[in-house]
Structures are given as structure tokens and as C-alpha cells.
């Protein structure tokens, strides 16, 4: 199966809604751990506070936190296509004038896999004298990821345990996204071994 790196804030509508404020009730970093969140607040909210950020929301919503926030259309498309690996956390989404846009959810990617092929990828690690000892030797940034396909078996979207900032999706995810005409992401194929 082919795998792709998601590129957010690309393939957008002409005048996009851009979120610049949030009150989620938890730290945004907790959403990139690859674990289910059981105490999600129904009061979690995101907003576009500036008039210049008002517009049409993309299906993969542009936001200042870099979180995957999906429209009702994208969620329905992925669920109908049996795309696995996402816990949907509903949010209240607001325009600058206070009008609520219903149905959006943060896509908590519950799949975190050790799938980076370190022998073929191009990446940097934190040095041995890094001031935070727990990060020493860990992946600091990836220039070119090569993924181990076997490590990604059974899921359609994942964060790498080695570097959770990036999101990778299967061909099934990409096909469903593009067939539905969704906006907000483009995809770059990654090499798998």
C-alpha cells in the first residue's frame, strides 16, 4: 500500500476561514501523543477572532495550532470509506462575529507507530549535550522520511513514534479525500520498505 505525508494549509478554498484562538481544556500537545482522550470537554472551542481570518472553512481546517481539524463532510467520507486510526473530538467552531459553525472535530490520531526506517531516511537527532536530557538522541527533524510498511499495517493514518509532528496517511485516506473533493490538504508520496 502507498503512504503519503499530509501537507496542511494547501489545496484550500479561495477565502479560507483561519482559526487563531482556541480553548480546548487540555494542552494541544496531548492530542499528538497517539492515545485516546477519554475526558474530552464538550465546551472545547476554536475561533477565528480577526475579520481578515473569516471565510469558508476547509475540510482540513487551517488553524494556528497545526491540529488536524476535520469538517463533517470529511469525517463522513472517511467513516464511509472505513478509514481507521482516528478518534473524533467534537469542537465548537466560531466566526469572528460569534456565529457557530457546527460539526467540526479534531482528528485525534490514535495510531502512533515506530515506522521510520532509520537506515534509509534523512533526519537529524538531538545532540548528546542537548539541555533536555530526555530528548538526547531522539529525532529532531526529518528531511526525507522512508517508512516501514509492515509497521503501518492495520491503520490508515498515523503519527510516527519517532517524530509525531508529521501525519502520514494511506492511499485509502488519500483516495477518499480526493474523490469527495475535500480541501485543506495535499499529499506527497513517501517511500516505503
Amino acid at each position: 500500500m502507498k503512504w503519503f505525508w499530509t501537507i496542511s494549509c494547501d489545496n484550500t478554498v479561495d477565502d479560507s476561514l483561519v482559526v487563531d484562538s482556541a480553548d480546548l481544556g487540555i494542552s494541544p500537545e496531548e492530542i499528538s501523543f497517539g492515545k485516546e482522550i477519554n475526558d474530552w470537554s464538550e465546551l472545547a472551542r476554536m475561533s477565528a477572532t480577526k475579520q481578515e481570518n473569516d471565510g469558508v472553512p476547509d475540510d482540513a481546517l487551517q488553524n494556528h495550532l497545526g491540529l488536524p481539524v476535520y469538517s463533517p463532510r470529511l469525517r463522513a467520507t472517511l467513516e464511509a470509506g472505513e478509514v481507521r486510526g482516528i478518534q473524533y473530538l467534537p469542537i465548537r467552531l466560531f466566526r469572528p462575529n460569534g456565529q457557530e459553525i457546527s460539526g467540526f472535530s479534531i482528528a485525534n490520531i490514535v495510531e502512533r507507530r515506530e515506522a521510520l526506517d532509520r537506515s534509509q531516511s534523512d533526519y537529524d537527532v538531538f545532540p548528546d549535550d542537548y539541555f533536555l536530557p530526555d530528548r538526547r538522541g531522539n529525532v529532531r527533524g526529518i528531511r526525507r522520511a522512508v517508512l516501514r510498511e509492515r509497521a503501518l499495517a492495520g491503520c490508515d493514518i498515523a503519527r510516527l513514534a519517532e517524530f509525531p509532528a508529521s501525519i502520514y496517511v494511506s492511499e485509502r485516506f488519500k483516495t477518499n479525500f480526493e474523490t469527495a473533493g475535500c480541501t485543506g490538504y495535499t499529499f506527497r508520496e513517501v517511500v516505503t520498505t
Side-chain angles (χ1 to χ4, degrees), residues 14 23 32 40 42 55 64 68 78 80 82 85 90 105 109 114 163 172 174:
D14 287 337
D23 182 3
S32 13
W40 185 252
E42 293 181 10
H64 68 301
L78 296 176
E82 298 180 5
S105 300
I109 300 159
E114 288 188 28
F163 189 74
R172 179 194 329 232
K174 178 182 180 287

Side-chain angles (χ1 to χ4, degrees), residues 146-186:
V146 176
L147 305 180
R148 294 181 300 112
E149 187 174 355
R150 181 176 286 174
L152 295 166
C155 70
D156 290 302
I157 185 168
R159 292 183 184 274
L160 298 180
E162 302 89 345
F163 189 74
S166 297
I167 298 170
Y168 297 91
V169 298
S170 70
E171 190 169 14
R172 179 194 329 232
F173 182 107
K174 178 182 180 287
T175 299
N176 279 277
F177 186 96
E178 292 176 342
T179 300
C182 291
T183 62
Y185 277 161
T186 55

Side-chain angles (χ1 to χ4, degrees), residues 11-145:
N11 178 37
T12 60
V13 296
D14 287 337
D15 184 23
S16 297
L17 178 78
V18 180
V19 168
D20 57 25
S21 176
D23 182 3
L24 303 178
I26 64 171
S27 168
E29 288 81 28
E30 290 184 57
I31 300 170
S32 13
F33 289 153
K35 295 180 182 171
E36 286 207 22
I37 296 173
N38 297 317
D39 56 348
W40 185 252
S41 172
E42 293 181 10
L43 301 177
R45 62 185 291 143
M46 298 181 93
S47 308
T49 62
K50 301 172 186 166
Q51 191 57 45
E52 62 266 23
N53 288 342
D54 198 3
V56 177
D58 285 294
D59 294 294
L61 186 69
Q62 295 183 55
N63 64 88
H64 68 301
L65 298 173
L67 293 173
V69 179
Y70 294 170
S71 71
R73 174 173 77 154
L74 178 52
R75 178 179 176 172
T77 296
L78 296 176
E79 287 176 338
E82 298 180 5
V83 169
R84 303 154 299 197
I86 302 172
Q87 174 193 22
Y88 293 97
L89 306 171
I91 58 158
R92 300 184 69 198
L93 177 62
F94 295 93
R95 294 185 178 281
N97 66 5
Q99 177 189 10
E100 188 168 356
I101 304 168
S102 63
F104 277 75
S105 300
I106 293 174
N108 180 27
I109 300 159
V110 295
E111 297 292 344
R112 187 167 171 168
R113 305 285 180 99
E114 288 188 28
L116 186 67
D117 184 332
R118 290 184 182 234
S119 67
Q120 296 192 43
S121 298
D122 183 9
Y123 62 94
D124 289 321
V125 296
F126 289 99
D128 291 338
D129 61 350
Y130 192 69
F131 75 99
L132 297 173
D134 61 326
R135 291 194 184 174
R136 293 174 185 167
N138 291 337
V139 175
R140 176 168 150 164
I142 299 175
R143 284 180 291 281
R144 181 178 161 270

